[in-house]
Amino acid sequence: MHVTRSSNSPELWWRDAVVYEVYVRSFADSDGDGEGDLAGIRSKLPYLRDLGVDALWLTPFYRSPLADGGYDVADYRDVDPRFGTLSDLDALVAATHAHGMRLLVDIVPNHTSDQHPWFQEALAGIHRDRYLFRKEPNDWRSNFGGSAWTQLPDGEWYLHLYAPEQPDLNWRNPQVREEFEDILRFWLDRGVDGFRIDVAAGLFKDPEYGNIGTLRPHEDGSPIYGRPEVHGVYRDWRRILDSYDGDRMAIGEVWTESPADFARFLRPDELHQAFTFALQLAPWSAPEFRSVVDKVLAAVRPTGSVPTWVLSSHDVVRHRTRYGSAARAHAALLFMLALPGSAYLYQGEELGLPEVLDLPEAALQDPIFARTGGLSRGRDGCRVPLPWSGSAPPYGFTAPGAEPWLPMPSDWGPLTAEAQTDDPVSTLSFYQRALRLRRALRDGLPESLEWLESPADALFFRRGPLLCALNCGSEPVRLPPHQRVLLGSTGQPGRELPGGAAVWLA
Ligand code: GLC
């Protein structure tokens, strides 16, 4: 029997890992159909290894009609033909490991696609108890806009916290539980190192279907998120993960407002990690950043787990655009990478990609655009395919002359990976240096931090031998006493750190 280490063991790989999110559809296309695929990812593994990340997280590549970019799964045990085959996945797992990295896959347990055989049966009136059907809707709203309920021609309503093409599963049905345990084993047997769990706090809904009224969806007492029954599922999943060798792990996408609610997911027999989105939601401000970091550290500390940090993802406006400049984006990266815990990067941030704000409406694919009647343009602007080479679209993302699934800007020539490789002042080189240095330092760093006194617009903190300074203001600030500059976000600062910059000091 394999003996697992407690998740407090500091040597566990995920406790300080840098994980790179691959949005599969937009990463690299190997077959010229305009959509990224698993073979495309495999061809770029040397790039990812040279970047210096520890693990990859792949967004869903399962069979799907892509009503929500693959977060609508029609078959949890197969690869969508657009993205490749199961043998491509096996080859990718093996090659990722051969390049010294781990591979996490996304699991979507809250809802299936409406094309899933179970929902097709439900439509025909068979086994509706695998989903959430009601005679009357309530006031719950879909996260994509509009009501969370859709009525079938026979009069019954079904729940979908997202698009109508994503019916919510009934987790009180033991068949649903068994099915997902089997799905976990299916991918663990194929060698994946763990899972990112989609909508992890949402599986159980209030069986009374009480109206939400004026409560916010993620508030304590919400009838939708963070209900106590969900924790039993993750205890079972943890036992499954622990029964495999190789320190497999799971990270939950957990949106909760209260830190106590959040911490429950991280109990030692539940999830290894949970995403905290607080940093991603905070404006460019030293006091805001500090308060976010303090809150997250305080929530996580008693659990024995570690914090996770994210600046960008496939769901939010890219942080370079949110913060308004490449300089600030670089500074934020140094700040994040110096914090205790693990960091999740999103593809393209290492190239300094901005959000694409002017995609033509006809090209938009995110269901949010249609469901809000165009009030929100949705998340396509951070999902534009990566520019790899050349000076015009599709920049090596797909075959020359092929149409990428989202149009690529005509001015991205200087941002391609090719243009930035070997350019010492490029964003890519900066990411490589920062990740290399973090790796070199990490064994000597405590899993905690100590704030030092700083001017109001700046933050200084120490982790053992490493000192990080971030200046969110516009005036230069005097750096704390140090022996040496290890890495700066804007060249080598002297005794002063300019506005919108960060530095690591020894
Ligand atoms: C998560 C995903 C998001 C998706 C939603 C529904 O929030 O990150 O992209 O739309 O779940 O599955």
Side-chain angles (χ1 to χ4, degrees):
M1 177 72 209
H2 168 72
V3 183
T4 48
R5 277 178 278 178
S6 124
S7 42
N8 291 342
S9 315
E11 70 279 17
L12 283 167
W13 69 271
W14 47 265
R15 289 186 74 88
D16 56 5
V18 175
V19 183
Y20 181 98
E21 177 188 354
V22 177
Y23 194 77
V24 176
R25 203 177 179 188
S26 301
F27 188 70
D29 178 21
S30 72
D31 60 5
D33 67 355
E35 300 189 271
D37 47 44
L38 299 179
I41 302 169
R42 184 148 60 98
S43 74
K44 300 295 184 189
L45 289 173
Y47 167 86
L48 295 165
R49 179 202 50 214
D50 294 347
L51 178 60
V53 298
D54 301 299
L56 311 180
W57 147 33
L58 306 190
T59 56
F61 48 77
Y62 315 108
R63 269 191 195 267
S64 165
L66 303 192
D68 180 23
Y71 283 95
D72 48 319
V73 181
D75 182 348
Y76 288 84
R77 295 183 187 78
D78 202 4
V79 175
D80 194 278
R82 273 177 279 215
F83 302 136
T85 61
L86 276 173
S87 347
D88 289 329
L89 190 277
D90 293 339
L92 179 59
V93 172
T96 306
H97 290 161
H99 282 80
M101 294 179 286
R102 316 252 179 171
L103 191 77
L104 307 177
V105 298
D106 217 309
I107 183 108
V108 188
N110 181 68
H111 43 262
T112 68
S113 158
D114 62 349
Q115 300 305 311
H116 190 283
W118 278 5
F119 195 71
Q120 290 299 310
E121 286 187 2
L123 288 178
I126 305 162
H127 291 311
R128 284 203 172 164
D129 57 348
R130 291 167 180 151
Y131 293 90
L132 299 171
F133 277 85
R134 300 263 296 156
K135 300 260 182 293
E136 296 289 337
N138 63 10
D139 72 349
W140 297 359
R141 311 270 307 159
S142 150
N143 289 319
F144 289 165
S147 168
W149 297 91
T150 290
Q151 191 172 29
L152 294 182
D154 62 21
E156 288 207 11
W157 301 76
Y158 69 90
L159 181 74
H160 50 86
L161 293 183
Y162 294 87
E165 294 87 352
Q166 295 166 292
D168 278 45
L169 284 163
N170 174 16
W171 274 84
R172 296 179 197 279
N173 181 335
Q175 235 195 314
V176 171
R177 264 174 112 126
E178 279 158 29
E179 174 70 0
F180 274 87
E181 291 183 5
D182 194 69
I183 293 166
L184 293 185
R185 290 203 180 86
F186 179 87
W187 295 105
L188 289 168
D189 288 341
R190 297 196 102 89
V192 308
D193 296 285
F195 302 95
R196 178 265 189 189
I197 306 166
D198 192 57
V199 197
L203 309 190
F204 286 81
K205 284 81 180 178
D206 173 10
E208 310 284 317
Y209 290 95
N211 277 335
I212 186 153
T214 55
L215 276 182
R216 292 181 303 272
H218 301 280
E219 207 172 341
D220 259 8
S222 153
I224 308 178
Y225 294 98
R227 295 190 52 85
E229 300 92 316
V230 79
H231 297 286
V233 171
Y234 299 132
R235 291 207 182 96
D236 292 346
W237 289 17
R238 178 63 179 253
R239 276 193 291 274
I240 293 173
L241 286 157
D242 282 354
S243 72
Y244 284 79
D245 60 2
D247 299 322
R248 318 282 177 117
M249 61 87 72
I251 172 163
E253 185 204 20
V254 174
W255 291 88
T256 58
E257 284 189 18
S258 102
D261 241 14
F262 177 77
R264 280 193 270 277
F265 289 86
L266 294 176
R267 285 176 289 196
D269 59 345
E270 293 196 32
L271 301 180
H272 301 73
Q273 290 184 333
F275 277 114
T276 26
F277 298 102
L279 185 60
Q280 187 174 274
L281 296 172
W284 178 257
S285 141
E288 296 273 355
F289 285 161
R290 177 167 173 167
S291 125
V292 157
V293 169
D294 282 338
K295 278 191 200 141
V296 171
L297 293 180
V300 173
R301 195 174 298 120
T303 67
S305 178
V306 287
T308 61
W309 308 103
V310 199
L311 292 168
S312 283
S313 77
H314 68 289
D315 286 330
V316 295
V317 172
R318 284 186 176 276
H319 70 274
R320 164 168 178 182
T321 301
R322 283 201 323 271
Y323 297 149
S325 72
R328 284 180 174 184
H330 288 193
L333 178 81
L334 282 194
F335 178 70
M336 172 171 81
L337 290 182
L339 294 171
S342 74
Y344 284 72
L345 308 180
Y346 176 52
Q347 67 178 41
E349 64 171 272
E350 79 280 14
L351 302 176
L353 297 189
E355 184 82 0
V356 179
L357 298 168
D358 59 356
L359 286 170
E361 287 192 356
L364 297 179
Q365 310 233 0
D366 186 353
I368 290 181
F369 178 64
R371 299 242 344 141
T372 60
L375 277 181
S376 163
R377 289 176 58 88
R379 302 161 293 178
D380 293 313
C382 64
R383 299 174 177 181
V384 171
L386 289 199
W388 289 101
S389 57
S391 55
Y395 303 106
F397 163 70
T398 181
E403 283 282 319
W405 72 279
L406 282 174
M408 302 175 71
S410 55
D411 59 354
W412 274 12
L415 296 179
T416 64
E418 180 186 58
Q420 297 195 44
T421 302
D422 302 328
D423 170 0
V425 298
S426 70
T427 300
L428 181 59
S429 302
F430 170 68
Y431 267 70
Q432 287 169 336
R433 276 198 300 275
L435 292 171
R436 208 175 300 134
L437 193 50
R438 178 182 152 112
R439 204 171 256 186
L441 293 170
R442 71 178 166 196
D443 287 340
L445 299 183
E447 282 188 340
S448 58
L449 64 74
E450 182 196 341
W451 295 109
L452 308 178
E453 218 175 300
S454 62
D457 280 342
L459 292 175
F460 300 163
F461 68 85
R462 194 208 312 268
R463 278 181 73 205
L466 173 70
L467 219 143
C468 176
L470 167 71
N471 182 1
C472 292
S474 44
E475 296 304 313
V477 297
R478 208 188 172 97
L479 284 171
H482 58 272
Q483 281 170 355
R484 202 149 61 82
V485 171
L486 297 172
L487 179 64
S489 65
T490 39
Q492 293 284 85
R495 276 156 53 168
E496 295 203 318
L497 180 64
V503 65
W504 289 354
L505 306 167

